[in-house]
Amino acid sequence: RSFADDDSALSYEDSPKMERKPLILKHSMYTGYRANGAVRACSIMPGSTVRDLEIAATEDDIDIAISLIDSDTADTVVIRQFKPSRVWLWRQWYGTVFQYGLWYALFYMWIGVMLSLAMHYYGIDKEDDNTITDMLSAVNSVWKYMLTITTFILTFFINQSYAVWQRVYSLARQVQGRTNDFGLLCAAHAKRKPCGKFAPESTKFLEEQAMCIRLFHTFCYASKTRRYKILHTKRALERMVDRGMMTQEMLDALLLPDLSENMRPYIVLEWIMVRWTMEFKNKTLQGGFGLETLLLEKACLLRSIYGTFSDVVDARMPLAYVHFVQVMVDLLLISAPFSLYSEMGPFCIAAVGILALFFEGLMILSKVFLDPFDNEDYCDGVIQMNIGVYIRESNHGSTRFMKAATYMPKGWCGKYEPK
């Protein structure tokens, strides 16, 4: 059973004879990190489709996902923070490359141990004229060239991988910024009563726009992350209606178009744009042609940023490049015991362990950088972004400016009417 292709994968109902694979991963992380260090299990198997989750996801899975976004308080940070203290850094284990690289280092050290024992047992290292010793010296000469090339390519590779990670982070923040612009501009130009407070129709418009902004961010990450894909299921959408995250009218309009789940962010964005047009006609938004033009420019910019955001995630790095670097690192490390033994003897065991820890650590770190949303379930807890924080921050931003502009100085809005 393969979940690699969302478009072509069949649901379990369509293929009753297929063996059902569990969609529960007990030991993976759901949202990354909490303020107290606690974690939650992710119930979404890598590669699962929305159709699979419609059948396999439980109500608890849905409630857990919704509870992590149904708030306007971030509670924690997007990525794990560090303290500059050397002692503190050395004491860290979970979520570091040591946690995952140590086992590779022990494996290569084991090869060095077996080689040293074989050389000592057969007395090969004691003979002056020995073909095997000469061959190991030759391997050492070639290995030094491999070391230089691999060091250069691997350091360049991790720089490129980190650039991808940084760009994803930057684009995610830009998406937040553009929706915050919606709230700022509309709150500043919404119709007010003479006392300075929002008119009832303005309050209704700003609240409904805030709800749409929250939906946009929810569907944005549900379309691109394994952890929140469950929010695209019909049961999750109905549960969101029950919890007041959207109205029943919104749900009905969302399900009517014959479009894929990945188009839902665009649907919500167009709702917002159409609502602006209506409110300008109703004089609820009072900024004229200039404000309308600015808002539409912001909306088009948001669409462009979200499209770029999706493109970067989908085309993070060519397969051939990652494959080449992985093969190069593996060949370097597996030949390291044979190369270093000719110069260091049994002391090559420790040297191989150190080299493996650093080279394999860099390789692991590079691949984790290329999976910022932990969609591959690879090396949990290293540097994945906490998507729940993005969504909760966006929830807060959707109403922040409306609340900030609720009250105005008495003399700024015409005649003051006391309560």
Side-chain angles (χ1 to χ4, degrees):
R1 168 70 176 171
S2 174
F3 300 98
D5 189 349
D6 285 2
D7 295 328
S8 62
L10 299 175
S11 68
Y12 292 122
E13 291 180 337
D14 295 333
S15 305
K17 295 183 179 180
M18 285 186 173
E19 179 183 359
R20 296 193 177 191
K21 287 191 174 182
L23 300 180
I24 307 300
L25 295 181
K26 294 294 185 182
H27 302 293
S28 58
M29 314 290 287
Y30 203 106
T31 57
Y33 322 102
R34 320 305 300 167
N36 59 0
V39 299
R40 300 194 183 193
C42 178
S43 60
I44 311 301
M45 186 176 183
S48 302
T49 67
V50 175
R51 299 179 68 186
D52 297 321
L53 295 174
E54 290 281 7
I55 301 170
T58 66
E59 296 300 324
D60 287 340
D61 297 331
I62 293 173
D63 286 337
I64 288 174
I66 292 177
S67 66
L68 294 169
I69 65 170
D70 188 16
S71 171
D72 61 359
T73 304
D75 294 332
T76 183
V77 293
V78 174
I79 62 172
R80 294 183 69 187
Q81 300 298 295
F82 69 91
K83 297 179 182 179
S85 169
R86 178 182 289 104
V87 175
W88 186 90
L89 289 171
W90 271 98
R91 289 173 57 191
Q92 302 311 300
W93 170 257
Y94 175 76
T96 67
V97 293
F98 288 156
Q99 180 184 4
Y100 299 98
L102 180 62
W103 311 114
Y104 293 100
L106 292 176
F107 169 73
Y108 292 115
M109 290 175 70
W110 176 81
I111 296 177
V113 170
M114 294 296 102
L115 175 63
S116 299
L117 290 176
M119 297 289 283
H120 179 73
Y121 180 79
Y122 292 105
I124 298 174
D125 54 347
K126 298 179 181 179
E127 299 180 11
D128 295 333
D129 186 15
N130 190 287
T131 304
I132 296 180
T133 304
D134 295 338
M135 292 176 61
L136 292 178
S137 298
V139 170
N140 178 259
S141 300
V142 177
W143 185 85
K144 289 179 179 179
Y145 289 107
M146 291 177 57
L147 177 64
T148 302
I149 297 173
T150 305
T151 302
F152 173 77
I153 292 179
L154 184 57
T155 52
F156 185 71
F157 180 67
I158 194 172
N159 285 334
Q160 288 187 304
S161 301
Y162 180 61
V164 172
W165 187 92
Q166 264 193 323
R167 192 174 185 197
V168 170
Y169 176 82
S170 176
L171 289 171
R173 289 302 189 188
Q174 290 180 47
V175 169
Q176 279 185 295
R178 299 298 71 76
T179 55
N180 286 341
D181 289 343
F182 296 171
L184 173 65
L185 292 171
C186 291
H189 293 84
K191 182 180 178 181
R192 295 177 180 271
K193 297 186 291 186
C195 65
K197 295 181 181 179
F198 289 121
E201 58 269 28
S202 297
T203 301
K204 183 175 184 296
F205 158 64
L206 293 173
E207 289 176 349
E208 291 180 352
Q209 176 183 253
M211 181 177 289
C212 287
I213 289 174
R214 294 193 290 272
L215 284 178
F216 174 85
H217 284 279
T218 298
F219 293 143
C220 171
Y221 292 108
S223 300
K224 291 302 173 185
T225 64
R226 168 176 66 102
R227 298 171 185 177
Y228 293 99
K229 185 176 290 187
I230 196 172
L231 297 177
H232 272 316
T233 63
K234 187 174 181 181
R235 285 182 294 153
L237 295 174
E238 292 172 348
R239 185 65 175 145
M240 290 166 68
V241 172
D242 295 337
R243 297 183 62 161
M245 299 174 66
M246 72 167 76
T247 64
Q248 185 63 46
E249 292 179 349
M250 289 180 176
L251 176 58
D252 295 340
L254 191 69
L255 298 178
L256 281 176
D258 185 18
L259 298 172
S260 68
E261 294 84 2
N262 293 337
M263 289 297 296
R264 285 173 181 169
Y266 296 112
I267 294 175
V268 177
L269 179 59
E270 290 192 75
W271 288 353
I272 296 173
M273 297 173 70
V274 171
R275 186 62 182 271
W276 289 339
T277 302
M278 296 168 59
E279 300 306 329
F280 275 112
K281 290 181 179 180
N282 298 335
K283 305 299 182 181
T284 304
L285 282 176
Q286 301 175 339
F289 178 75
L291 175 62
E292 185 173 7
T293 302
L294 181 59
L295 284 172
L296 293 177
E297 288 178 352
K298 294 290 184 182
C300 291
L301 182 59
L302 175 60
R303 185 221 50 87
S304 176
I305 293 173
Y306 175 66
T308 304
F309 173 73
S310 302
D311 293 340
V312 172
V313 173
D314 293 339
R316 48 188 178 172
M317 193 74 71
L319 167 64
Y321 189 13
V322 181
H323 175 267
F324 174 74
V325 178
Q326 182 69 71
V327 170
M328 179 172 288
V329 171
D330 290 345
L331 289 178
L332 176 77
L333 294 179
I334 204 167
S335 61
F338 303 95
S339 171
L340 296 178
Y341 188 86
S342 62
E343 292 185 349
M344 305 178 66
F347 292 102
C348 74
I349 299 172
V352 167
I354 294 172
L355 283 173
L357 188 62
F358 289 122
F359 276 89
E360 196 65 47
L362 285 174
M363 190 65 204
I364 291 172
L365 196 57
S366 299
K367 290 186 286 187
V368 173
F369 277 139
L370 294 174
D371 185 27
F373 295 150
D374 191 29
N375 288 331
E376 305 293 339
D377 195 36
Y378 178 73
C379 294
D380 286 327
V382 180
I383 47 175
Q384 295 95 349
M385 298 179 189
N386 191 339
I387 305 304
V389 173
Y390 281 132
I391 299 176
R392 293 193 295 272
E393 288 179 349
S394 301
N395 293 346
H396 176 66
S398 66
T399 57
R400 178 193 312 162
F401 301 102
M402 179 180 68
K403 294 176 180 178
T406 299
Y407 300 98
M408 299 293 292
K410 291 182 180 180
W412 286 26
C413 296
K415 183 179 179 181
Y416 174 68
E417 296 180 355
K419 296 181 179 179

